[in-house]
Amino acid sequence: MKNQKVTQTKKPTKERIFEVSLDLFSQKGYDRVSVREIAREVGIRESSIYNHYKNKEAILDAIIDYFKSELNQSSIPEGEGEDLIDKGPEVFFNVGAKLYIDRINTPEMEKIWRLISIETYHNDKMREFFKKELLEEPLNVWENNFQIMVDKKMIKPVNPRTLAYEYFSFVIFLFFEYFVLKYDDDFDSFMDLALDRIKNHTEFMLDAIKIY
Amino acid sequence: MKNQKVTQTKKPTKERIFEVSLDLFSQKGYDRVSVREIAREVGIRESSIYNHYKNKEAILDAIIDYFKSELNQSSIPEGEGEDLIDKGPEVFFNVGAKLYIDRINTPEMEKIWRLISIETYHNDKMREFFKKELLEEPLNVWENNFQIMVDKKMIKPVNPRTLAYEYFSFVIFLFFEYFVLKYDDDFDSFMDLALDRIKNHTEFMLDAIKIY
DNA sequence: GTCTATACTTCGATAGAC
DNA sequence: GTCTATCGAAGTATAGAC
């Protein structure tokens, strides 16, 4: 409280650099944002940036680290998956959808998703992260779940890997459509746009695989 | 023949600039390729580039123009769509899949697809092109086709827009996976990778909507 | 921890000789 | 149509005073 006498709640400079960088990176991409620009927006000189971050890339790394830690917090608790499956495919699909949406729930996370979408295209580190953590790992989880459902005869005996692709490719498509194609068109959040579409998708899939 | 006396078939400089630029752009993205680099690869000085193209962006425009003209050549002849539908959903899906694959059949087209995938992220012109020509238009075509099939009671009465999304989101996903995530991993062509996957996808969809 | 000043690099593009 | 030479703008980063 000592340094915040009046109305102004002054954030540490390092935090302001983080926020401004995220804003700019997510709008224009890492390459198209200069250190000068960040400094100007923060209200300091470029050279001062280097008192807080080793270099420009270190800012990006900090953002991704933040993203990873947030992602871990919203993941499924170990072992709870199978209990959920027993409640039937409907429930499982709904919880699954909610899980994705929860990971994009704040403005910060939405910006970082956008940033990752951009940088996946020309940043090797980012592409590997996307491939492993955001694509292969979820695909494996879904395949495993479908396998269990098939084994328990809760759904038709379709190849679980195929089902995983059928389910998840639509999710990736939604991300692509929202974070790449529509990002500047309007300011609806991902949630508003995605909920109905995911509902249609899960209903279609349920109809396709449920046992009457 | 006058200038090609010996073994060397010398392409015009303008063509070589086109080819080299496409190579480099598709590997590294437009921004990360310099005019100097193009010139070096072609074997001339940077200033000579400007005798053939007004500026760097004009090279990119030429590539996209080439892409558009190639795309038009491989599209469905007007009016042939409905005849095809009458042959049943199986045939229609197969022809549809072949249509996509035909558009990526040459190394040049594959490179341009990759380039478009990259530039869609930060080039406004490119993004609009992708949205209209490569996303919305095909979605509308598929929706229309599904509508006809529903009307003719060839498939179950599912919302045709939903079906269009279900079908097409998988295709977009394949593109994304191949042109963005896997591009440097191996050198299989898109065709080799996609054929089986598309087959699984169309079989799943057929099973989901066909009337027994 | 912020500033001024500056080093160093790379970029797209042009002028003008040949 | 190619070359040499060069410009101006913009980028990242560092040194050192305060």
Side-chain angles (χ1 to χ4, degrees):
Chain A
M1 275 299 187
K2 237 191 347 199
N3 289 329
Q4 297 165 13
K5 287 269 170 66
V6 211
T7 53
Q8 174 105 15
T9 306
K10 213 169 156 190
K11 287 184 186 167
T13 303
K14 186 163 188 172
E15 244 173 79
R16 312 232 357 256
I17 294 172
F18 183 99
E19 287 171 4
V20 166
S21 299
L22 176 51
D23 265 351
L24 294 172
F25 289 164
S26 66
Q27 282 164 28
K28 311 163 63 168
Y30 177 79
D31 282 340
R32 303 209 173 176
V33 176
S34 66
V35 176
R36 282 195 231 289
E37 200 179 351
I38 297 170
R40 192 194 323 129
E41 204 76 11
V42 171
I44 56 176
R45 295 290 174 179
E46 325 147 40
S47 55
S48 301
I49 298 272
Y50 296 91
N51 278 319
H52 303 278
Y53 291 95
K54 191 192 159 231
N55 53 27
K56 190 185 169 189
E57 199 182 354
I59 306 176
L60 182 60
D61 290 340
I63 291 174
I64 298 305
D65 284 344
Y66 172 80
F67 178 80
K68 287 180 184 174
S69 71
E70 286 291 307
L71 218 55
N72 282 333
Q73 284 187 14
S74 70
S75 71
I76 342 127
E78 189 73 38
E80 259 189 44
E82 191 138 359
D83 292 351
L84 220 51
I85 291 178
D86 286 333
K87 297 181 180 168
E90 285 92 346
V91 174
F92 195 80
F93 272 129
N94 287 339
V95 174
K98 199 181 165 311
L99 221 66
Y100 288 119
I101 285 172
D102 277 350
R103 294 178 171 195
I104 324 170
N105 231 345
T106 68
E108 265 91 24
M109 286 301 275
E110 195 155 323
K111 283 175 202 158
I112 303 179
W113 273 105
R114 157 76 177 176
L115 172 57
I116 290 175
S117 300
I118 300 179
E119 293 308 316
T120 289
Y121 280 75
H122 35 224
N123 183 317
D124 288 347
K125 243 191 302 178
M126 205 75 93
R127 183 164 53 245
E128 284 312 307
F129 172 66
F130 192 101
K131 266 168 79 168
K132 282 186 68 173
E133 308 291 329
L134 304 179
L135 183 67
E136 282 166 20
E137 201 258 348
L139 270 175
N140 289 336
V141 170
W142 278 102
E143 179 183 5
N144 191 39
N145 292 331
F146 284 124
Q147 180 70 66
I148 294 173
M149 290 193 249
V150 168
D151 288 345
K152 295 192 174 188
K153 300 192 195 308
M154 299 169 73
I155 61 173
K156 292 181 187 170
V158 183
N159 181 327
R161 189 70 183 174
T162 297
L163 288 181
Y165 276 126
E166 290 294 323
Y167 182 81
F168 200 65
S169 62
F170 187 86
V171 177
I172 295 281
F173 171 75
L174 275 189
F175 275 44
F176 174 73
E177 197 184 26
Y178 180 67
F179 288 113
V180 180
L181 298 180
K182 297 216 164 174
Y183 201 70
D184 44 3
D185 271 19
D186 43 52
F187 296 86
D188 293 340
S189 77
F190 180 74
M191 233 169 68
D192 298 332
L193 175 133
L195 269 181
D196 276 353
R197 303 271 295 277
I198 290 187
K199 189 161 156 283
N200 281 344
H201 174 54
T202 54
E203 276 175 8
F204 178 83
M205 285 214 55
L206 268 175
D207 249 29
I209 60 176
K210 76 176 167 194
I211 297 176
Y212 293 91
Chain B
M1 276 298 188
K2 243 196 333 203
N3 289 328
Q4 297 167 14
K5 287 270 168 67
V6 213
T7 52
Q8 173 105 17
T9 306
K10 213 169 156 192
K11 284 186 189 167
T13 304
K14 185 162 187 172
E15 242 174 81
R16 311 229 3 253
I17 295 172
F18 183 99
E19 286 170 3
V20 166
S21 299
L22 177 52
D23 265 353
L24 295 173
F25 288 165
S26 66
Q27 282 165 29
K28 311 163 62 168
Y30 178 79
D31 281 341
R32 302 207 174 177
V33 177
S34 66
V35 175
R36 284 194 225 289
E37 199 178 353
I38 297 170
R40 192 195 321 129
E41 205 77 12
V42 171
I44 56 176
R45 295 290 174 178
E46 326 147 41
S47 55
S48 302
I49 298 270
Y50 295 92
N51 279 317
H52 302 279
Y53 291 95
K54 191 192 160 231
N55 53 28
K56 189 185 171 190
E57 199 182 354
I59 307 176
L60 183 60
D61 290 340
I63 292 173
I64 298 304
D65 285 345
Y66 172 81
F67 179 80
K68 287 181 184 174
S69 70
E70 286 291 307
L71 217 55
N72 282 333
Q73 284 185 15
S74 70
S75 71
I76 342 127
E78 190 72 39
E80 260 188 45
E82 190 137 359
D83 291 352
L84 219 55
I85 292 177
D86 286 333
K87 296 179 180 169
E90 285 91 347
V91 174
F92 195 80
F93 272 129
N94 286 341
V95 174
K98 199 181 166 310
L99 221 66
Y100 288 119
I101 285 171
D102 277 351
R103 295 179 170 194
I104 324 170
N105 230 346
T106 68
E108 266 90 24
M109 286 301 276
E110 196 156 320
K111 283 176 202 159
I112 303 179
W113 273 105
R114 158 75 177 176
L115 172 57
I116 289 175
S117 299
I118 300 178
E119 293 308 317
T120 288
Y121 279 76
H122 37 223
N123 183 317
D124 288 346
K125 245 192 301 180
M126 206 75 93
R127 182 163 55 242
E128 285 312 307
F129 172 66
F130 192 101
K131 266 169 78 168
K132 280 187 70 173
E133 309 291 329
L134 304 179
L135 183 67
E136 283 167 20
E137 201 258 347
L139 271 174
N140 289 336
V141 170
W142 278 102
E143 179 182 5
N144 191 40
N145 292 332
F146 283 124
Q147 179 69 65
I148 293 172
M149 290 192 249
V150 168
D151 289 344
K152 295 190 173 189
K153 300 193 195 308
M154 299 168 73
I155 60 173
K156 290 181 188 170
V158 183
N159 180 328
R161 189 70 183 174
T162 298
L163 288 180
Y165 276 127
E166 290 296 322
Y167 182 81
F168 201 65
S169 62
F170 188 86
V171 176
I172 295 281
F173 171 75
L174 275 189
F175 275 42
F176 175 73
E177 197 185 24
Y178 180 67
F179 288 112
V180 180
L181 298 180
K182 297 216 164 174
Y183 201 69
D184 46 2
D185 270 19
D186 41 54
F187 296 86
D188 293 340
S189 75
F190 181 73
M191 233 169 68
D192 297 333
L193 174 134
L195 269 181
D196 276 353
R197 303 271 295 277
I198 289 186
K199 189 161 156 285
N200 281 344
H201 173 55
T202 53
E203 275 175 9
F204 177 83
M205 284 214 56
L206 267 175
D207 250 28
I209 61 175
K210 76 176 167 195
I211 298 176
Y212 293 91

